Amino acid sequence: MRIYDYSDVRKKLENGTSHLLLGNGFSISFSDVFSYESLFKKAVDNGLSDNAIKVFDLLGTNNFEGVLRVLNSTAAVASFYYDLDDNGDLIYDDVRIIKETLIKTIAESHLHHTGEVPNNAKDSCIDFLMPYKSVFTTNYDLLLYWVNMHSGDRPIFGDGFRAEFENPDAEYVVFAERLGGDKGIYHLHGALHLYFSDGYIKKHCWSRTKRPLIDLIKSGLDNNSFPLFVAEGSPEKKVEQINSNAYLSYCLSKLGRITNRLVVFGNTLGASDGHIVDAIADNDKLIEVCIGLYGDVDSPTNQETIKSAQSILDRRAKMNVFRKRKDKELNLIYYKSDSIDIWS
């Protein structure tokens, strides 16, 4: 299996429209504060139950979504054999606590303001993002937002949020329009600065309040106004939550309509993101997918990514047979994600 450098992928971007899918590796490449290991340590301090901590230890992981998936599965299977009553409630209580603790921990451990990301780092990141028409992200943090706002008087990428018609001077903006053919950023699993209130998906704005976004987010948490987060462990649960929200549903459907080429950076396409894998496979307008592998190709994480990538090819092949099409094959290539330093 040949693994390319990112410079080879960059040359491909000159040929037709390209789109980008970012995962946690994008944020970790700037700071380890965004790693699951760092978040887990802070989450313990923020109130994870002893039983939940034991599950993390048993699985030997710091991956919140993996633990949530196991807890939900455990409760479901156990209910076939036992009348769970209080024990079942304890499991589902831990699921709720893990979700809430994850949100609180990310907000508390996040960089406080955009000035903590040097301008030269943001400039370098903009150069990385520029060739892409659509940027999809599963990250909750504010790095991508800060980079986009740094790009000038008008951000490079739109997001569909505008002033509310009935309250144009409000401290927030609302999701009000689809982006069509314009460059855009799509938060597939929500983000810290997005929240649901009064029937609308709203976005915190520094420009309207002159308050750091993290302060606005923490104030919202204090008032039980939680950020828009899809923190479910299984793809089925994630799809259920996504389909119940107009903004999230729009973002996922957009991924299913993009054309030509998708580049994946810092996203392992793990088991909990099966809905994203399916959206890529089912989009027969995509003819090429470039997937980044970090470090040793034989590492468990990379092997999981390769397995998911193969499932994309397998699903596409089955669809082609079902639809009696021979011209919708997908070209899959791998590249070394550590062959580019996004932030310098």
Side-chain angles (χ1 to χ4, degrees), residues 141-187:
D141 62 70
L142 301 174
L143 283 181
L144 185 61
Y145 174 81
W146 284 343
V147 168
N148 193 39
M149 297 305 294
H150 172 74
S151 59
D153 293 335
R154 182 180 179 186
I156 297 170
F157 298 91
D159 61 9
F161 285 82
R162 298 291 180 268
E164 188 176 28
F165 178 75
E166 295 86 355
N167 191 8
D169 297 322
E171 294 185 344
Y172 55 82
V173 290
V174 298
F175 179 63
E177 63 183 13
R178 302 192 171 202
L179 296 173
D182 295 336
K183 279 177 169 278
I185 288 175
Y186 305 88
H187 295 276

Side-chain angles (χ1 to χ4, degrees), residues 37-269:
E37 181 178 2
S38 296
L39 291 175
F40 175 72
K41 290 178 180 177
K42 291 183 179 297
V44 171
D45 296 334
N46 276 337
L48 281 185
S49 72
D50 290 340
N51 284 336
I53 293 171
K54 289 176 183 177
V55 176
F56 277 92
D57 290 341
L58 176 66
L59 297 176
T61 183
N62 295 314
N63 188 316
F64 287 80
E65 292 172 339
V67 169
L68 288 168
R69 185 170 65 252
V70 168
L71 286 175
N72 277 316
S73 297
T74 298
V77 171
S79 68
F80 300 152
Y81 299 92
Y82 307 104
D83 183 5
L84 292 179
D85 294 330
D86 291 341
N87 289 329
D89 290 340
L90 285 174
I91 295 175
Y92 287 121
D93 280 348
D94 274 348
V95 168
R96 175 184 56 78
I97 291 169
I98 290 172
K99 292 177 186 178
E100 293 178 357
T101 303
L102 175 60
I103 296 170
K104 181 179 178 182
T105 300
I106 291 176
E108 288 184 353
S109 62
H110 201 289
L111 305 178
H112 191 255
H113 57 80
T114 183
E116 294 186 59
V117 183
N119 285 341
N120 65 321
K122 285 180 278 199
D123 289 337
S124 179
C125 189
I126 288 171
D127 181 64
F128 169 70
L129 298 173
M130 276 297 290
Y132 298 101
K133 184 173 183 180
S134 307
V135 178
F136 299 90
T137 177
T138 58
N139 296 339
Y140 306 122
D141 62 70
L142 301 174
L143 283 181
L144 185 61
Y145 174 81
W146 284 343
V147 168
N148 193 39
M149 297 305 294
H150 172 74
S151 59
D153 293 335
R154 182 180 179 186
I156 297 170
F157 298 91
D159 61 9
F161 285 82
R162 298 291 180 268
E164 188 176 28
F165 178 75
E166 295 86 355
N167 191 8
D169 297 322
E171 294 185 344
Y172 55 82
V173 290
V174 298
F175 179 63
E177 63 183 13
R178 302 192 171 202
L179 296 173
D182 295 336
K183 279 177 169 278
I185 288 175
Y186 305 88
H187 295 276
L188 293 170
H189 292 164
L192 279 175
H193 59 306
L194 308 181
Y195 62 103
F196 184 80
S197 176
D198 301 325
Y200 292 96
I201 301 299
K202 300 179 180 180
K203 183 175 78 171
H204 291 297
C205 291
W206 176 87
S207 62
R208 289 171 170 257
T209 63
K210 305 306 178 186
R211 293 178 60 195
L213 291 185
I214 286 296
D215 287 350
L216 295 172
I217 293 162
K218 289 179 179 177
S219 293
L221 287 172
D222 290 340
N223 294 315
N224 293 318
S225 177
F226 281 83
L228 179 63
F229 261 47
V230 179
E232 303 293 345
S234 71
E236 295 80 12
K237 288 287 186 180
K238 281 182 174 172
V239 169
E240 183 179 327
Q241 185 176 350
I242 288 169
N243 287 340
S244 67
N245 183 284
Y247 170 75
L248 297 175
S249 178
Y250 164 61
C251 291
L252 185 60
S253 67
K254 183 72 174 183
L255 180 63
R257 298 194 306 273
I258 57 175
T259 62
N260 198 46
R261 180 183 298 104
L262 177 67
V263 176
V264 181
F265 181 90
N267 193 312
T268 64
L269 301 176

